Amino acid sequence: MEGTNRKKIGNRVLQVVFPFLLGAAILCWTYRDFNFQRVGDVLSGGVDYAWILLSLVFGVTANLFRGWRWTLALEPLGEYPKKSNCVYAIFVSYAANLVIPRVGEVSRCGVLARYDGVSFPKSLGTVVSERLIDTLCIGLIAGVTLLVQAPVFASFFQETGTNVERYAEVLTSVHFYILLACVLAILLLVFFLIRNVSVFAKLKGLVKNIWLGIIALKDVKHVPLYLIYTVGIWGSYFLEFYLTFYAFDFTAHLGIMAGMVMFVVGSIAVIVPTPNGAGPWHFAVITMMMLYGVGKEDAAIFALLVHGIQTFLLILLGIYGLSALPFTNKTK
């Protein structure tokens, strides 16, 4: 029993420590030989804070739209939480992700379970479907941007040592699909072997409720409003990033297409499990910005300050959400 507890504690420590170490390692490598004194100089007189504040407004609206959209996804399941609770849960989730990446998806469901009695498995299912929608959105944005700015992406792949032709050969190879079929066959065999095990039986009800949450998306009553919220989310994310260009002299000349390219690359980079994408996001944005003619040091300053300010906003919103929840849910 004691050994099991130690193993659990070890796993939890690893979940917290590894993302920080990974992010720190990438940051240290990215900012090697960087003159940090220039950051102070830029902060004291090289930043137009009006543009920074305006960009942060869209950082807030993105979370508002996400919270409101979540209420629409929960309605087909017979769950009607307060809109404010959904928004505060979103605030808390992004702050939680700064401590343990991806734990926010679970924490937001826990908030609604506590304050509105929403079924945890069902709400988790809606979060899964939400992530699928978000993946589709970033895929569409990336596809359009890639077509328009193909030469820039080609240069990025060359700079980062990514061999696109090699990946294309793998995906079109017969051997790849044979291997994929074998993996699927093994997974199917394992499924049938454990389907009668007691642990599987206990999980069956949980999985069923999660699945109900996932497929509830097809029963959303207000589809146009759901789409408006989705556009609002991604439009706000983009503006939160793009408007910061105008806060610095060395990026103010970059156009909207440059912003789209860096937004797409940065959005893909945050898939790496580090706090708020710290490290991979910096590397991706700096590399892309240099391809558009921005100096390496200026690009590094931009990435460091913008990411730091946006992360600080997530912390503030998380604190606000945690503080507001008890007060807005007082029993009469």
Side-chain angles (χ1 to χ4, degrees):
M1 190 69 175
E2 185 178 345
T4 303
N5 290 334
R6 286 181 179 178
K7 186 177 180 180
K8 288 181 179 179
I9 294 173
N11 289 335
R12 288 175 183 174
V13 171
L14 185 62
Q15 287 177 343
V16 175
V17 174
F18 177 73
F20 277 97
L21 290 178
L22 178 61
I26 298 174
L27 280 173
C28 288
W29 182 82
T30 303
Y31 283 87
R32 65 192 186 281
D33 303 324
F34 177 72
N35 180 16
F36 285 93
Q37 185 177 349
R38 271 216 63 203
V39 177
D41 296 337
V42 172
L43 281 173
S44 61
V47 181
D48 187 338
Y49 288 99
W51 283 107
I52 294 293
L53 290 174
L54 181 59
S55 73
L56 294 181
V57 170
F58 288 100
V60 177
T61 60
N63 289 320
L64 293 176
F65 284 130
R66 188 173 289 280
W68 296 339
R69 188 181 70 172
W70 196 17
T71 63
L72 297 180
L74 288 166
E75 284 181 2
L77 299 170
E79 304 286 1
Y80 302 93
K82 294 180 182 177
K83 280 190 175 182
S84 60
N85 285 347
C86 287
V87 171
Y88 295 149
I90 297 296
F91 288 171
V92 172
S93 71
Y94 281 106
N97 279 336
L98 297 178
V99 181
I100 305 177
R102 309 295 178 260
V103 78
E105 282 76 2
V106 177
S107 67
R108 61 191 267 194
C109 298
V111 169
L112 291 195
R114 177 180 178 182
Y115 290 103
D116 287 301
V118 174
S119 167
F120 183 90
K122 289 180 181 179
S123 63
L124 186 59
T126 62
V127 173
V128 173
S129 63
E130 179 181 290
R131 289 308 176 203
L132 293 175
I133 293 295
D134 288 340
T135 302
L136 176 62
C137 288
I138 192 62
L140 289 173
I141 296 171
V144 173
T145 307
L146 180 61
L147 289 175
V148 178
Q149 297 284 286
V152 178
F153 276 99
S155 299
F156 175 76
F157 291 135
Q158 184 177 358
E159 288 288 330
T160 55
T162 304
N163 192 331
V164 180
E165 292 182 0
R166 183 180 299 172
Y167 287 115
E169 289 175 2
V170 170
L171 292 176
T172 55
S173 170
V174 176
H175 298 288
F176 170 76
Y177 289 101
I178 292 175
L179 178 61
L180 181 63
C182 291
V183 171
L184 291 175
I186 292 171
L187 291 175
L188 189 62
L189 176 61
V190 171
F191 170 79
F192 283 113
L193 287 175
I194 68 172
R195 66 180 301 177
N196 294 321
V197 178
S198 58
V199 175
F200 182 81
K202 292 179 181 178
L203 290 175
K204 191 174 181 180
L206 176 65
V207 173
K208 181 180 179 181
N209 282 327
I210 293 176
W211 177 247
L212 288 175
I214 295 173
I215 64 174
L217 188 62
K218 65 181 179 60
D219 296 319
V220 170
K221 296 179 181 178
H222 308 286
V223 175
L225 187 58
Y226 189 93
L227 294 176
I228 289 172
Y229 286 157
T230 300
V231 173
I233 291 168
W234 286 98
S236 294
Y237 280 150
F238 173 69
L239 289 173
E240 180 188 17
F241 173 72
Y242 177 63
L243 292 178
T244 58
F245 283 10
Y246 296 101
F248 305 91
D249 292 337
F250 46 79
T251 54
H253 67 283
L254 297 175
I256 192 167
M257 288 312 303
M260 288 293 293
V261 169
M262 292 175 214
F263 175 71
V264 167
V265 173
S267 298
I268 295 173
V270 297
I271 295 174
V272 180
T274 62
N276 200 27
W281 187 89
H282 293 76
F283 171 75
V285 170
I286 291 170
T287 304
M288 271 299 181
M289 199 163 274
M290 290 171 61
L291 294 177
Y292 278 95
V294 178
K296 183 177 181 180
E297 193 169 73
D298 288 337
I301 291 172
F302 173 88
L304 192 65
L305 293 181
V306 170
H307 186 273
I309 291 169
Q310 292 180 351
T311 300
F312 184 64
L313 174 66
L314 295 180
I315 294 172
L316 288 180
L317 291 177
I319 294 172
Y320 174 73
L322 281 174
S323 303
L325 280 165
F327 288 102
T328 57
N329 291 279
K330 284 184 177 180
T331 55
K332 297 182 179 180

